[in-house]
Amino acid sequence: MDSAPLLSVLNEDLLIRILSFISHDPDRKAFRLVCKTFLRVDSFHRTHLRILRPEFINTLLSKFPRIYSLDLSACPQIDDGAVAMLVGNGLLPDWCRRLKRLVLSRSTGLKSAGLEMLIRSCPLLEAIDVSYCWSFGDREAAALSFGGSLRDVKMDRCLGLTDVGLAKIAIGCQCLEKLCLKWCIEITDLGIDLLSKKCRELKELDISYLKVTSMSLRSVSSMEKLEHLAMVGCGIVDDEGLHYLGKGCPSLQALDVSRCDRLSSSALAFLINGHPSMLQIYANHCFHEFPTKVVQGLKDLKNLKTLILDGAPVSESLFKIINFNCKYLIEIGLGKCKGVTDKGIFQLVSGGVNLNILNLTCCSELTDDAISAIADSCRSVLCLKLECCNSVTEKSLYLLGLHCSFLEELDLTDCFGVNDKGLYYLSKCTKLVCLKLGLCANITDKGLYYVARNCSEIRELDLYRCKGIGDDGLYAVSNGCKRLQKLNLSYCSEITDRGIECLGHLPELSDLEMRSLLNVTGTGLTALATRCKRLAELDLKDCANIDDSGFMALAYCSRNLQQINLSHCSISDVGLCMVMGNLTRLQDAKLVNLYNVSTNGFEVALRASCVRLKKVKLIASMRLQLTPDIVQTLRARGCRIRWD
Amino acid sequence: MASSSKTEQKKMLILKSSEEEEFEIEESIAVQSGTIKNMVEDDFTLIPLPNVDTETLIKIIKYMKKHGEKTKSNEKDIEEFDKEFVKKSFTELKELVLAANYLHITSLIDLLCQAFADRIKNKSVKAIREIFGIPNDFTPEEEAEVYEQHKWAHEEGKEHIDHSAY
């Protein structure tokens, strides 16, 4: 007989601590349902909420009194009307006064009036994310500028934003510490200059893909507190810009100059000279040559943790210098680099280094010897990318299984040398979370069985075009990998309904790609839809033998579906209408080449879903066949139509 | 029980369980417990622990001794010890967490809470209730309401994590 019931032993502090160790969503949900005390502890201490339907916002927020972070990006139909209902009725709800962080990413229905109402109602708001609200422009920026406490603003892909809007934000939000303007292509040097003058607290800035010149970098170099600068794809910036950076930005720690076509590696050397304590350098596909002078310059980077040089030509001397001087390096990117040889890898990892992440994509000269050196030296390696390393065989996998028990992520896409024996050895890496075996023609169900049996932590599995995988392999996976969330089975043509039915035993499956599985029919899809309740993304392109019975099941059961690709499927008018109409969370649909659907069928289906659809792909000829009314309605609701 | 010694002898404390049994332990190890540390600062050398029974106290002393010897080289060793330490029955874990909480041994509290969390992971609601011996105090309507909220209203997003520290 227990001396004291558990609940009297576990006081609230202890329960909160136990709860803090439970991060997995289904476990937290189970926790809440155990008893009222557990529910109260969770509700009372929860600080973040991601809401799926707008009608629940107020009730939920009143039940969780400590929420200060709110994510509405998954909520369809957030528009000015919805905001007015939430905050516009005179009495401001309590949660507004507490809210510090708000995510409105992809809320394309929201306009400046609604945004302003929200900003004005939440005086403590520090962080806001309006990324991918592609129609946002200067009016919305003006609304944001009312947020005097804002520190973190994400405006990726707000395509309408110009210097005028940026100026408003710069003047209104002088406490800004993090700002992301990625893809806001109307911004010019003028906007960046004003930003640098007004927002003196800025620590992180992302100006990737903007059409700014080196003059912007001159302005940026005056930012005393700037630590992180991302300028991916700034194709107009040249070496002069990096010279300015080299002389300024005293706090700079991380720089991303990937795909800046006009930069030369010599300018990089100048930058390093001014900032020897840099921690992270990202230079993907940026440098076409690496003269000795620059390589020598890397000697000074004693604190470097991350070095990404994808696409650059490298040499043994480079590896030697890195190995000798950059003792704190944990991540290195050498994808598609010319000149990565076994010898170079020996140099890089000799003496035992602490590398956690190695990207060796397309370093096809590497053989088992290189992997052997890595497995031996970098025992705590977490992520290894070996896509297209064709000379890697089961010998390497044996060594990885033997030495690298912490391995979480492994990419063996298109590695011809991977076979069932290799997978048997690899299964000793029981902590694997993400495994990519796309285009591995030599693996069969047998090999997959070993992985499924031992690697129970796998969340992501890619079997794209693995012709040797069939129903038995899926049976093994569905028994062994219960945490699987993302699965790619496209073009594994041996798979039939039986295999797809097995997937019903994967309780967390949310993202499934199964293109061109011609042996799968409505029976298989029905079994999948009725059991995989968490399915959010589904790609059925070219599954020509699935009939309406499957799509009906999808329409009734897959209530969490957000994204679907039905291109080239044999769905009918009725089927399409049911799918588009019934699935109230569907926001993204690809409906190209649906030969069994009439124009009227499309009209009805689009009308049924126009209120929440954010992205739809249709065949180009539809443009003339659909009524202008439906196209306008979709556009007015903020939906993006892509004509194929 | 001299309060200070001129020789190199380490200062020893005596811990007394609820059943009046006494255990000698080095002060440097015992002060991993915040409660004991406070009492030592008030010049106690005999520390009565009326809330901790003998069996539990023995286990706690074992834990503190192991963790008192922590250096950079035996980290893996201590990890193994911790793993074995929590392989105990539910009743024992309960007693331990009560005692650890009373004694304010932060690392032990964390270890035990993690152990409880691990026993909750991947289990159904019914299974959790059974394992922990917790009665269901929801009415069917209340339970349905919470369940509905899970399914339709909201889901766990990633908690806002501060990535500013490298």
Side-chain angles (χ1 to χ4, degrees), chain A residues 220-291:
Chain A
V220 168
S221 65
S222 70
M223 292 185 184
E224 305 260 317
K225 297 199 181 171
L226 196 67
E227 293 173 9
H228 271 258
L229 176 64
M231 37 181 282
V232 179
C234 288
I236 308 180
V237 170
D238 56 18
D239 286 357
E240 199 188 345
L242 282 208
H243 276 240
Y244 285 128
L245 272 186
K247 282 189 250 159
C249 279
S251 313
L252 198 64
Q253 291 176 349
L255 177 66
D256 191 343
V257 290
S258 302
R259 298 182 198 275
C260 289
D261 296 327
R262 288 206 192 165
L263 290 183
S264 83
S265 46
S266 320
L268 183 67
F270 194 73
L271 174 79
I272 295 172
N273 213 6
H275 299 89
S277 55
M278 285 284 276
L279 292 176
Q280 298 177 310
I281 295 181
Y282 297 85
N284 292 8
H285 302 286
C286 184
F287 302 131
H288 305 293
E289 19 136 84
F290 242 109

Side-chain angles (χ1 to χ4, degrees), chain B residues 40-95:
Chain B
V40 163
E41 279 164 12
D42 287 339
D43 269 339
F44 280 83
T45 41
L46 170 64
I47 316 246
L49 301 171
N51 290 354
V52 188
D53 65 31
T54 307
E55 213 186 298
T56 312
L57 186 56
I58 292 175
K59 291 178 197 145
I60 291 196
I61 291 177
K62 195 171 168 199
Y63 177 89
M64 288 201 287
K65 276 195 176 151
K66 191 75 187 184
H67 279 251
E69 300 159 5
K70 198 170 193 167
T71 64
K72 273 222 158 157
S73 52
N74 63 2
E75 256 178 50
K76 262 234 152 127
D77 195 29
I78 293 191
E79 252 178 63
E80 285 299 316
F81 172 84
D82 282 351
K83 249 193 242 176
E84 287 302 309
F85 192 78
V86 293
K87 282 186 186 165
K88 293 190 167 46
S89 80
F90 208 69
T91 326
E92 290 175 280
L93 284 184
K94 253 190 339 190
E95 295 295 327

Side-chain angles (χ1 to χ4, degrees), chain A residues 3-4 6 17 21 25 27 29 32-34 36 46-47 50 52-53 63 101 253 279 483, chain B residues 94-95 101 109-110 114 122 129 132 137 142 145 149-150 152-156 159-160 166:
Chain A
S3 51
L6 185 69
R17 254 199 221 181
F21 288 118
D25 193 17
D27 294 329
K29 288 186 174 173
R32 279 201 287 278
L33 277 169
V34 168
K36 283 188 183 169
R46 179 187 277 264
T47 56
R50 183 168 182 255
L52 303 178
R53 282 175 171 70
K63 288 206 161 101
R101 185 173 167 260
Q253 291 176 349
L279 292 176
R483 294 209 151 178
Chain B
K94 253 190 339 190
E95 295 295 327
N101 202 24
I109 297 174
D110 275 343
Q114 174 79 70
N122 283 337
R129 284 186 195 136
F132 284 65
D137 56 358
E142 287 168 338
E145 198 194 328
Q149 278 181 8
H150 289 170
W152 308 126
H154 69 98
E155 74 185 23
E156 208 74 26
E159 289 286 319
H160 180 50
Y166 292 108

Side-chain angles (χ1 to χ4, degrees), chain B residues 80-128:
Chain B
E80 285 299 316
F81 172 84
D82 282 351
K83 249 193 242 176
E84 287 302 309
F85 192 78
V86 293
K87 282 186 186 165
K88 293 190 167 46
S89 80
F90 208 69
T91 326
E92 290 175 280
L93 284 184
K94 253 190 339 190
E95 295 295 327
L96 273 169
V97 80
L98 247 182
N101 202 24
Y102 168 70
L103 289 169
H104 265 81
I105 309 173
T106 322
S107 62
L108 182 56
I109 297 174
D110 275 343
L111 178 66
L112 290 166
C113 285
Q114 174 79 70
F116 278 115
D118 288 339
R119 284 179 199 214
I120 290 179
K121 280 180 189 170
N122 283 337
K123 300 266 177 2
S124 73
V125 179
K126 281 213 178 83
I128 299 176

Side-chain angles (χ1 to χ4, degrees), chain B residues 132-151:
Chain B
F132 284 65
I134 301 175
N136 178 10
D137 56 358
F138 284 117
T139 67
E141 294 82 34
E142 287 168 338
E143 194 167 349
E145 198 194 328
V146 181
Y147 192 64
E148 278 300 299
Q149 278 181 8
H150 289 170
K151 278 177 81 181

